[in-house]
Amino acid sequence: ETPVVSIDPARRLSKINPNIYSGFTEHMGRCIYGGIYDPGNPLSDENGFRKDVLEALKDLNIPVVRYPGGNFCATYHWQDGIGPKEQRPARPELAWLGRETNHFGTDEFMKWCEVLGTEPYLCLNMGTGTLDEALAWLEYCNGTRDTYYANLRRKNGREEPYNVKYWALGNEVWGPWQVEQTTKEQYAYKAYQWAKALKLLDPSIVLILCGETGVTSWDYYTLKNCILPLNSPLSTSAVPLIDMHSIHLYTSSDKHLPNVTAPLAAERAIELASSLIDLAIVENKVPPTQPRPTICFDEWNVWDPMRAVGSEGAEESYTLSDALAVAVWLNVFIRKSKDVGMACIAQSVNVISPLMTSKDGVTKQTTWWPLLLFSKYMRGETVAAHVSCGTYDGETQPEWVRAVKETPWLDVSAARGDDGYVNAAIVNISDEKDLESRVNGVTGEVVVFTVTASSLAACNMNGKQEVGIAESRWDGK
Ligand code: AHR
């Protein structure tokens, strides 16, 4: 039976937030040092920024980049990373057990974002950091008045505020690996208090609550206790305390079919987290005038920590199977565009990344190619796509993907761009079948971009270039 993909461009489902193509740079391994920042390297500009990395990232048209972690945030004191470089303290770093020179800090990151043409997203230290420090950071970045930290920014050479819009209330503070791990009760109380103060200082910011996988009692409890309006005697309109809820999930398996179907867990996580947001809204009687929080999937990717062990910091070597898994991940974000306000691939350079640097250049890993295609073409609005084909019903990773068993061999999403063109992303997850399909709802000439190779183990590292994009045309009949 020939598989049939039916696309209905007239059935517009929801807008795709361009922020689903966001990135993440952490002080981890070679992401910052030797990745985006490599002073002295002939490939770097006058700021020490790797030009080849910037050029590659510009192709992805990345709207937002999260920084400085990750787990790194839990002991990071941002004031160590400003002012004259020779006076900045080097510190032991507890998340990845490195040595942090602080030569790359807030002003360097802001400059890098400006050169890349992206918006910064900062994650606050809710481990060893204090609310005072967080407020000072916000004032340093966004302050416009004659106040201490705004003046310190001016003294450091930046007159205009950076207007950092996105701020995260900590990172994975539920995790036993975190310095100053907290319980959900402790976190919800603290996040509420921090959110109140931060929004009093700058009500225009977007605050992101630290969720877990979107499906746990942590997610339920923290949403329930933090989706509330800002309680200020001075505010006349309802300012929400929390604008987004974060979810983190990494998937992987050394077997292809569990590997490529694992990202479907993210689809379930988004559905469940979205329901928890609605539940909190109902239970807290949040007025309809207050915007509904969206999901910030601010860490996602294919990552097998065991496979990456021994590298300088989770330097994954990706295969074609992983590239297909990344394509399924991205299909999930397109299908769930109604709920996902942002998604950040973890990470942007070297660490668990599609882009790897050496002293002499950058390598685009297998996972780079689907990311590039999605970022170029899967924008605008999600439109209805239906697939009729056989299904996979075997082992899945994690186990709870079983909730979506009978997974079609073709994983599909479709988008209608602002230019009126309709684009479809079709991932053949089968490890053996070449599924020639019929596509309904398509007229005119079609440009087809194919990401494939002769083996699922194909890889682009160590001088190989086995996976790329092949372009062909089809007359639509
Ligand atoms: O992205 C790597 C790490 O994975 C991040 O630092 C942390 O938040 C997550 O556990």
Side-chain angles (χ1 to χ4, degrees):
E1 189 203 341
T2 310
V4 181
V5 176
S6 306
I7 298 165
D8 185 354
R11 246 189 99 201
R12 300 168 164 199
L13 299 178
S14 48
K15 284 216 173 326
I16 298 166
N17 194 317
N19 288 357
I20 64 167
Y21 298 115
S22 294
F24 171 33
T25 53
E26 173 165 8
H27 285 250
M28 174 179 176
R30 296 190 309 122
C31 181
I32 302 291
Y33 303 106
I36 68 173
Y37 182 68
D38 199 3
N41 189 310
L43 294 172
S44 298
D45 67 9
E46 67 285 4
N47 302 301
F49 303 156
R50 280 284 289 260
K51 286 186 284 190
D52 51 348
V53 172
L54 281 166
E55 228 169 88
L57 293 177
K58 275 181 190 167
D59 286 346
L60 290 181
N61 193 1
I62 303 171
V64 177
V65 177
R66 182 172 179 247
Y67 173 85
N71 296 343
F72 174 79
C73 293
T75 58
Y76 180 58
H77 298 288
W78 69 271
Q79 291 184 61
D80 288 345
I82 56 167
K85 285 196 182 162
E86 64 288 356
Q87 284 168 28
R88 297 186 193 177
R91 306 255 189 220
E93 191 286 303
L94 299 187
W96 310 109
L97 302 181
R99 176 178 172 271
E100 178 52 56
T101 63
N102 283 303
H103 284 178
F104 189 95
T106 304
D107 295 297
E108 289 76 23
F109 180 65
M110 296 299 156
K111 181 78 195 171
W112 184 78
C113 287
E114 209 175 281
V115 178
L116 177 59
T118 195
E119 271 199 74
Y121 163 16
L122 296 178
C123 185
L124 296 166
N125 172 359
M126 288 190 78
T128 61
T130 63
L131 175 54
D132 267 343
E133 269 178 281
L135 288 166
W137 204 6
L138 178 57
E139 184 193 326
Y140 185 87
C141 292
N142 293 0
T144 51
R145 292 180 293 172
D146 177 13
T147 56
Y148 181 79
Y149 287 105
N151 287 336
L152 188 56
R153 181 194 70 233
R154 293 182 183 107
K155 187 174 152 215
N156 287 339
R158 171 76 185 200
E159 185 56 39
E160 294 305 312
Y162 289 120
N163 291 326
V164 178
K165 182 167 163 193
Y166 302 101
W167 295 82
L169 291 159
N171 171 75
E172 294 185 1
V173 283
W174 41 265
W177 51 88
Q178 295 295 327
V179 174
E180 283 287 317
Q181 175 195 3
T182 65
T183 63
K184 57 181 183 295
E185 291 82 7
Q186 288 164 334
Y187 176 73
Y189 176 78
K190 195 167 156 183
Y192 176 87
Q193 298 302 332
W194 281 43
K196 182 171 55 182
L198 291 158
K199 287 257 171 149
L200 285 171
L201 183 59
D202 184 349
S204 74
I205 59 172
V206 167
L207 272 183
I208 294 127
L209 191 65
C210 173
E212 199 178 338
T213 50
V215 302
T216 66
S217 63
W218 173 284
D219 294 287
Y220 169 69
Y221 188 89
T222 55
L223 281 164
K224 167 81 182 73
N225 286 279
C226 295
I227 294 196
L228 292 161
L230 170 65
N231 193 348
S232 158
L234 298 178
S235 94
T236 47
S237 60
V239 175
L241 272 187
I242 298 301
D243 304 277
M244 302 182 95
H245 184 68
S246 85
I247 305 183
H248 290 181
L249 192 67
Y250 295 94
T251 60
S252 76
S253 169
D254 53 7
K255 294 190 206 126
H256 171 66
L257 286 165
N259 189 36
V260 81
T261 51
L264 298 173
E267 196 151 6
R268 295 293 291 146
I270 293 165
E271 284 160 5
L272 286 160
S274 184
S275 302
L276 292 179
I277 289 172
D278 286 339
L279 194 60
I281 287 173
V282 171
E283 289 184 347
N284 293 344
K285 299 188 174 58
V286 173
T289 45
Q290 202 176 299
R292 180 180 181 274
T294 55
I295 289 164
C296 182
F297 220 121
D298 53 15
E299 287 190 28
W300 71 268
N301 206 345
V302 176
W303 180 16
D304 174 357
M306 292 323 289
R307 183 169 68 176
V309 158
S311 61
E312 268 189 75
E315 298 202 359
E316 277 275 10
S317 197
Y318 288 114
T319 62
L320 174 63
S321 173
D322 299 325
L324 298 172
V326 160
V328 173
W329 262 107
L330 292 163
N331 267 346
V332 167
F333 296 138
I334 300 297
R335 289 193 291 262
K336 291 290 156 204
S337 59
K338 185 168 163 286
D339 296 307
V340 183
M342 190 189 306
C344 309
I345 187 166
Q347 300 187 3
S348 293
V349 184
N350 288 335
V351 175
I352 338 168
S353 173
L355 202 63
M356 302 297 287
T357 66
S358 70
K359 281 274 160 226
D360 315 310
V362 285
T363 298
K364 288 166 180 165
Q365 293 222 58
T366 60
T367 53
W368 170 269
W369 303 105
L371 192 59
L372 180 71
L373 286 176
F374 270 82
S375 176
K376 270 194 164 162
Y377 299 107
M378 301 301 280
R379 289 179 182 261
E381 278 175 298
T382 303
V383 296
H386 180 262
V387 60
S388 161
C389 67
T391 57
Y392 167 65
D393 203 12
E395 188 194 331
T396 56
Q397 268 309 319
E399 264 295 294
W400 50 283
V401 186
R402 287 201 163 277
V404 284
K405 71 181 177 177
E406 296 192 355
T407 307
W409 289 113
L410 297 179
D411 187 80
V412 176
S413 76
R416 184 195 167 107
D418 296 335
D419 54 9
Y421 281 101
V422 174
N423 297 303
I426 304 177
V427 187
N428 175 4
I429 64 166
S430 168
D431 48 352
E432 39 189 39
K433 281 174 280 193
D434 227 7
L435 296 170
E436 198 159 313
S437 330
R438 226 180 45 231
V439 183
N440 290 340
V442 174
T443 49
E445 197 186 41
V446 178
V447 183
V448 182
F449 300 101
T450 312
V451 176
T452 193
S454 55
S455 134
L456 284 163
C459 174
N460 286 357
M461 293 299 287
N462 304 319
K464 290 186 270 184
Q465 265 304 320
E466 297 178 328
V467 178
I469 298 176
E471 188 177 329
S472 57
R473 269 155 215 270
W474 177 57
D475 64 10
K477 284 182 202 133

